[in-house]
DNA sequence: CATGAATGAGTATTCATTCAT
DNA sequence: TATGAATGAATACTCATTCAT
């Protein structure tokens, strides 16, 4: 650059920097907000903190997100619901038996959600749903429903191919969901303050849950008798 | 007044009544608080509502509980701790195979916690633990650890008697815990705002979870292969 | 008091003072609010200023008035609409001809509204109506409509008794209203900053307006020909 | 660029167009501002709306008007001052009796101010004068005083020609002014939110006010007795 | 001349907690 | 012991104005 006497670079660069800033802002704000939301909860996080952490002023945040709730929604879209399309695609083209498919799903969930900061989002929703009904409804529609449908498809495929025993799909979905959501909830709440001996090692935990699910869904699994008396 | 000896009886009586009331107050307040905390969440419950529901004034509540948080702690002590002794006793003398024993345990949990207002307490703990570390530690010691020990004993008995396959006890406990805690968390959060079609029917849910556990713990259960890759 | 060994007076007095304070608060707040509203307008007046001027904290104001708008409504009721019942009564029992009656009405308006701080209220409404539609609707219902009805009754009586010529009542009401509302509006706006020579002397102004009205309503008044071409 | 003689024409042209635009801008902005101020009031109009409506960016507006208040002042100058010269001229050469002259004046006011968007300006002045003393003084000098003088001349002419009874000119001017200013104030405030039944039909209202004035100013008008007691 | 991204001061309302009675 | 009047900290969102480009 210093070797280039024509002063074309600076203006271009400047302009680019401006545009880049504007394009970068939402991402910077989302990153800051995720940190704070996960750490302190939705209600306890002040928008000004988010802005400051992102290096802008309060007003600027509202230039990109019309409200605190919209900021949270954007977070959800960015990290969770925006990925369903790809996931759905992957599921569609998965080759292999359904046991492997289920393992693959949990794997993906762990790598893309569970092991990342985004794992705080489901926990957040469980904690704040009561106080922010609009967010809860949004999360239901954008996450819970498509997510459940995804799991249901996997299970249905297993049944169809004779790899899983026939099952009540609606509740079977909860069999898969419960361990995952419990993990995030636990990890971000009581799990942070228990003695090291009872810390959950997430990958071990997930492996065992997967093991239980596959045993339970297996066609050779022996029905243990009547349910809850 | 000091010159009027006859006016002593009424005061005494009044005093007695007062004392009696004073003894009853904490319980009345705890009952009122449980109703409201479970119904509206911790943050959304105003102490004045609690006081009003308990039939006293706002100021009186602070005579018995030094803060809203202390009221919450007292709630935990009242409704969760203290039941383990009896439960442990029952487990000790249970006769029957371990499948039935596990079913019995879930049954008890459902009847005594899950189906009662006290089911809101674990959910509250999960939500507030992060902003309430001291209470979280307390809950760990007083509830989570004895509860886990109880479950561990049941599972160990099954293994010892050859009714359950050998297992990693620490994580097996979470296999049992996760479905229960997920149920209370879900029921008191997102479960309140989802379309009726996806409502969980708790007894059906528990029956299926028990079914999964028993299949998974069964000695005849086929190991499905490697864990999470 | 120091001569009275029985300590009955102090408690009574104290209790009385307490009650008196509580009873006095709304009035103190209304007085403070009127001063500020008239001086700075509704929007430009901060509730904290009102509270401070009344010698209480911000929170206390909201103990007595649920919102800033409610505070304003109370002001209107206190000074304007709360007086219509009595006025209506007086009108009903007025003895004398309708010319005297109209003069009496303007007189009352001047003494009870025009010459007091309450004269700022109508001006306030005219200024802020657009930005506070709910207040405007309230004022319409509580002040404009009953006020117009009152004037209409006076005029109708004059017509019925043959003391005023027949007239279009709806617009005749505005003939009476316009000079009064103009006076308050002018006085509290441009009138505050004009050279002394053009200051309006309100009583003279009102006398002349009354004179015009009586001439105009007179049965012997000569119709001046067609209206606006 | 300096080496390219042919490229001068376009720049010149561009420059010319720019200048022309520059000259047109204030007018475009004033027109846009009048629309919005009259429609939504001063406070509720955002400068960005004005700029957008005028087809420029927010920043550009501040190139021509140093503040929102200055924009308002410019509005007053543009639409009210400067018309008095012509009006005065017309008055000077009016032929006909003074009744017709007064009718002509109200007519002109209605057509040029009352019925146009400019009718919002006097209302804005009344509303904002208190928080805007400098503008109030300006309005007094530039609008109120010449306007009053105009009216005074008409009335004086009537008295001189024996067509109006002798009167206190200063206050008689307010007899004429009050109905007009009340109309604009009312129309732009409470008039916008009252039930249709009490809507003022401006031309009917003005005709009746003129009728009242002419009756009151008539030489045959019977004096109704003493003024305000 | 023109832009529009960024700024940050300004404010009504709630509610846990206190304390004079 | 009981009351309830009083407190005041705490927070999302708007919009006139600026200034780097």
């Amino acid at each position: 650059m210093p070797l280039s006497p024509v002063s074309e670079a600076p203006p271009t660069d400047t302009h680019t920097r401006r545009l880049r800033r504007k394009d970068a802002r939402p991402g910077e704000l989302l990153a800051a907000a995720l940190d704070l939301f996960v750490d302190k909860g939705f209600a306890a996080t002040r928008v000004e903190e988010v802005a400051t952490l992102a290096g802008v002023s309060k007003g600027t945040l509202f230039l990109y997100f019309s409200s605190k709730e919209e900021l949270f929604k954007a977070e959800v879209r960015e990290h969770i619901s925006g990925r369903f399309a790809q996931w759905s695609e992957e599921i569609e083209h998965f080759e292999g038996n359904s046991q492997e498919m289920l393992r693959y799903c949990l794997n993906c969930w762990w790598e893309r959600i569970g092991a990342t900061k985004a794992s705080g989002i489901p926990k957040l929703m469980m904690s704040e749903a009561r106080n922010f009904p609009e967010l809860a409804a949004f999360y239901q529609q954008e996450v819970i429903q498509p997510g459940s449908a995804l799991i249901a498809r996997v299970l249905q495929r297993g049944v169809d191919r004779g790899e899983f025993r026939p099952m009540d799909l609606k509740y079977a979905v909860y069999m898969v969901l419960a361990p995952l959501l419990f993990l995030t909830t636990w990890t971000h709440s009581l799990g942070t303050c228990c003695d090291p001996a009872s810390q959950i090692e997430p990958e071990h935990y997930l492996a065992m849950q997967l093991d239980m699910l596959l045993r339970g869904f297996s066609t050779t699994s022996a029905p243990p008798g009547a349910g809850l008396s």
Side-chain angles (χ1 to χ4, degrees), chain A:
Chain A
M1 288 298 198
L3 297 179
S4 168
V6 244
S7 61
E8 278 178 34
T12 301
D13 188 48
T14 312
H15 189 234
T16 305
R17 210 186 311 136
R18 260 242 181 163
L19 287 181
R20 220 186 275 137
R21 282 215 78 102
K22 195 198 168 184
D23 288 353
R25 288 276 185 259
E28 294 165 5
L29 286 162
L30 284 172
L34 184 57
D35 278 359
L36 291 166
F37 284 158
V38 168
D39 192 43
K40 319 173 61 167
F42 178 76
T45 298
R46 274 168 301 141
V47 291
E48 191 159 22
E49 287 179 292
V50 175
T52 303
L53 187 58
V56 297
S57 75
K58 207 184 347 180
T60 300
L61 186 150
F62 286 96
L63 235 44
Y64 296 94
F65 303 95
S66 63
S67 72
K68 195 184 178 185
E69 297 209 347
E70 283 304 321
L71 177 61
F72 183 80
K73 288 184 186 178
E75 208 75 81
V76 173
R77 286 193 201 95
E78 169 90 357
H79 292 286
I80 319 245
S81 55
R83 309 196 166 182
F84 280 125
Q86 187 204 345
W87 279 359
S88 195
E89 195 73 10
E90 290 173 11
I91 293 297
E92 216 63 62
H93 299 95
F94 188 86
E95 294 180 3
N97 64 33
S98 296
Q99 286 82 1
E100 286 160 352
M101 195 170 176
L102 190 57
R103 171 180 301 125
Y104 175 75
C105 284
L106 295 204
N107 236 337
C108 286
W109 178 85
W110 172 246
E111 283 169 3
R112 300 175 192 181
I113 308 269
T116 74
K117 274 178 192 161
S119 65
I121 294 178
K123 189 269 173 179
L124 223 42
M125 277 311 315
M126 310 285 261
S127 296
E128 317 261 6
R130 262 324 235 290
N131 299 117
F132 299 91
E134 191 197 328
L135 287 186
F138 166 82
Y139 197 79
Q140 272 284 350
Q141 278 199 353
E142 298 278 317
V143 179
I144 299 300
Q145 282 173 16
S148 300
L150 215 65
I151 297 172
R153 276 222 314 266
V154 174
L155 299 180
Q156 184 65 56
R157 177 181 183 269
V159 175
D160 290 346
R161 294 171 51 137
E163 292 159 345
F164 292 157
R165 63 183 170 83
M167 58 182 85
D168 178 339
L169 259 194
K170 177 182 157 189
Y171 283 82
V173 165
Y174 284 116
M175 306 295 112
V176 179
L177 225 44
L180 304 186
L181 292 183
F182 171 77
L183 180 61
T184 69
T185 308
W186 182 267
T187 303
H188 289 95
S189 62
L190 291 168
T192 62
C193 57
C194 61
D195 59 305
S198 52
Q199 288 289 1
I200 291 182
E201 205 286 290
E203 288 172 343
H204 188 186
Y205 167 89
L206 285 172
M208 281 198 62
Q209 289 283 15
L210 176 63
D211 182 86
M212 288 293 283
L213 290 172
L214 292 181
R215 286 174 191 266
F217 292 153
S218 159
T219 52
T220 66
S221 164
L228 221 56
S229 70

